[in-house]
Amino acid sequence: LFNNKNNSKMPNPRAEAIKAEGNAFFKSGKYAEAIGKYKEATAVDDKVPSYWSNMAACYEKLRQFEEMADAGRSCIKADKSFVKGYFRLAVAYKNLNQLSDCIKTLESGLAVQSSNPDLKRMKKEVTELQRGEQVAAYCGKAEEMMQNGDISGAMKQLDFASRLDAGNA
């Protein structure tokens, strides 16, 4: 029942066969059918993170990001050390524009594997997106204050924006 690699349970042969059917559907672009198979596999054994991760990948292809996030959370719940689960959940959060949740998820994944290049790259991208949103918010607030005649308040907002966006002439 156990393989001696890391004392983890051997995968259920029936669940693995169902997963293989799901993988065949995935490869032929039949993502909804693949999801059905991965769900079937998780019904047999919900502790195998790759079933959830593969399901999340299908939801990403279908642009169903709420469902992708659910599958990502289930993946992490199945195995907290399975780094791809954090990546899948972070991708879902990024697409749902939940950037702070995305960053938290990436940081959790990096706590498991600090050298992971996908997580590091995505954290850099999302941090940059957040910074850009913050700069735009300051500029919008400055515009509003100028309209209302609050020139010094507007200048203060623009000063905040320029500090955040120091490299931008």
Side-chain angles (χ1 to χ4, degrees):
L1 185 64
F2 287 84
N3 67 17
N4 53 12
K5 191 177 77 166
N6 58 3
N7 239 9
S8 65
K9 209 163 63 83
M10 290 292 283
N12 179 301
R14 193 163 72 86
E16 285 295 300
I18 296 166
K19 174 192 174 186
E21 292 175 39
N23 291 350
F25 279 129
F26 183 88
K27 285 184 186 111
S28 60
K30 296 178 177 168
Y31 305 117
E33 291 88 338
I35 289 167
K37 289 298 175 182
Y38 298 134
K39 281 184 176 175
E40 220 178 295
T42 64
V44 175
D45 186 351
D46 67 354
K47 299 284 181 252
V48 179
S50 64
Y51 305 161
W52 296 108
S53 178
N54 292 3
M55 192 187 304
C58 291
Y59 283 125
E60 181 180 9
K61 294 284 189 188
L62 296 171
R63 304 196 59 74
Q64 295 176 349
F65 299 113
E66 291 287 351
E67 294 84 350
M68 183 187 188
D70 288 339
R73 282 188 285 272
S74 295
C75 182
I76 294 165
K77 189 176 165 201
D79 183 350
K80 289 187 182 358
S81 66
F82 189 79
V83 175
K84 196 175 263 183
Y86 297 96
F87 184 74
R88 299 273 191 229
L89 181 55
V91 168
Y93 280 142
K94 183 180 176 192
N95 281 284
L96 292 166
N97 203 33
Q98 295 175 8
L99 300 184
S100 63
D101 288 331
C102 180
I103 294 280
K104 280 183 209 137
T105 301
L106 291 166
E107 287 171 348
S108 297
L110 287 165
V112 174
Q113 187 186 51
S114 60
S115 63
N116 186 285
D118 293 328
L119 297 178
K120 286 166 82 172
R121 180 181 36 75
M122 186 180 223
K123 185 178 178 194
K124 197 173 167 187
E125 285 170 15
V126 174
T127 301
E128 187 55 29
L129 281 174
Q130 278 185 312
R131 192 187 60 74
E133 284 185 358
Q134 188 63 56
V135 168
Y138 282 133
C139 290
K141 184 80 176 143
E143 180 73 30
E144 190 184 303
M145 292 173 116
M146 289 243 315
Q147 301 290 327
N148 296 326
D150 182 0
I151 305 303
S152 72
M155 293 306 286
K156 208 172 279 176
Q157 293 298 311
L158 291 174
D159 187 47
F160 291 145
S162 68
R163 280 189 218 158
L164 264 184
D165 206 12
N168 186 340

